[in-house]
Amino acid sequence: MLQGNIQLTCQPLSLTSSRPFQLQQKMLEGKPLQQLPDLIGLIYGLCQQAQSSASQLLLGFAEPETTALPNEQVIRVELIKEHLVSVAGLVFPVLGVAGSDQLLAGIGLWVAKAKQGNDVSALRSQIEQKLTLLLGEQWRVLAQAVGVEDAITRLKSVAHDSAFLQALAQAKAEFPLAPLPTLTIGSVYQDSVIDELLARFLSEKWQLVTQPDINGQVMENSPMTRLGWQDQADLHPLWLRQLARVVDIAQQTMMLLGECDQSPLYHRVQKGQMGLSWVETARGRLFHLARWDEQGIAVDYAIIAPTEWNFHPQGMVQKWLQKWQSSGMAETIFAKESMALSQ
């Protein structure tokens, strides 16, 4: 893949990443900012709309009069779609071939359809059908969860409506494991965080892209951190993150349908002829950073995907790997669960 690969081996346990390739980001330098949203959309197949939107936000600094802000509804449709694609592999043993096919049928066209109009009325019934298949008729109950304990209570109250939720509710006690250290993503609205990211973009761009951190602190970047959750000592890390994904799917769908207040999907900051933007994706928060000249040509460009935060050498998955190495648990179980955790 152009983005690079992550390889996980079981004997011995090891995790290596070739993400991201320098070539893909080098291709963006020396080109007019106005060309980058389309070019980035061609390079990246995963979270394509979020990638293009992050670049579009930066283009708006150089050409504010001719550049529209990204369409939030389209970004949210893609976020929900990517969630469902990731979950499909996990629910296959529960839903079977027919159910999994039904979950995925047609969702590849959602983003294109959302772009055709200013609302999602044409997609409403399809999206609600998918959520009902996955989470049951009462999926909106999960969307109203505030915090981990409330989410667990709500899960128990509606688990009987969904085979997937039943499996999720029953799996919690089967995997006793010490929790990961608490890794929360810093507020990217804070000037100190933005200033540090931009400074490191200038001084050590590739180190920032491949092994991102804030003030030396490696941070998780996932649906769990978007919800503001933290690890719980008595909950299995994979189970907790899949519960967070379920709540996030339900919340994002209600936001898309206009049934609750919407959380911000993107942000941007300009510092002279440099800029930083971020856009929410199913995996976490996607960052773009750029520096341009007076003609609007990209001098430097960097993309930091959520994957690089979570697969950092001291990040979430590596810390979990260390826990498994010391626990003596079966390596093949770790291999299966760690990749599910990170998607």
Side-chain angles (χ1 to χ4, degrees), residues 247-276:
V247 172
D248 194 46
I249 293 173
Q251 285 189 0
Q252 295 294 335
T253 300
M254 283 193 68
M255 292 176 192
L256 181 70
L257 300 178
E259 297 179 5
C260 66
D261 293 338
Q262 297 190 1
S263 61
L265 282 178
Y266 58 74
H267 184 59
R268 63 177 178 174
V269 175
Q270 181 179 9
K271 302 279 185 177
Q273 289 181 206
M274 286 196 305
L276 174 150

Side-chain angles (χ1 to χ4, degrees), residues 132-145:
T132 300
L133 173 65
L134 181 66
L135 306 179
E137 294 283 351
Q138 302 182 72
W139 61 266
R140 288 174 175 81
V141 172
L142 294 166
Q144 298 164 14

Side-chain angles (χ1 to χ4, degrees), residues 65-116:
E65 288 138 3
T66 59
T67 306
L69 290 174
N71 186 319
E72 288 200 22
Q73 288 190 324
V74 176
I75 296 173
R76 212 176 296 275
V77 166
E78 181 181 68
L79 190 158
I80 296 168
K81 183 205 78 172
E82 296 288 354
H83 263 322
L84 292 176
V85 170
S86 294
V87 168
L90 296 176
V91 301
F92 178 79
V94 178
L95 298 183
V97 175
S100 297
D101 287 349
Q102 187 179 352
L103 181 65
L104 295 177
I107 69 173
L109 301 176
W110 282 3
V111 174
K113 289 181 178 179
K115 288 180 178 179
Q116 294 173 359

Side-chain angles (χ1 to χ4, degrees), residues 3-7 15-20 210 307-308 311 318:
Q3 290 93 330
N5 297 299
I6 293 173
Q7 294 183 327
L15 185 70
T16 57
S17 174
S18 63
R19 289 179 46 97
T210 57
T307 303
E308 273 55 79
F311 281 91
Q318 287 285 13

Side-chain angles (χ1 to χ4, degrees), residues 49-60:
Q49 185 62 37
Q51 293 279 10
S52 294
S53 296
S55 182
Q56 183 180 344
L57 286 166
L58 294 176
L59 172 61

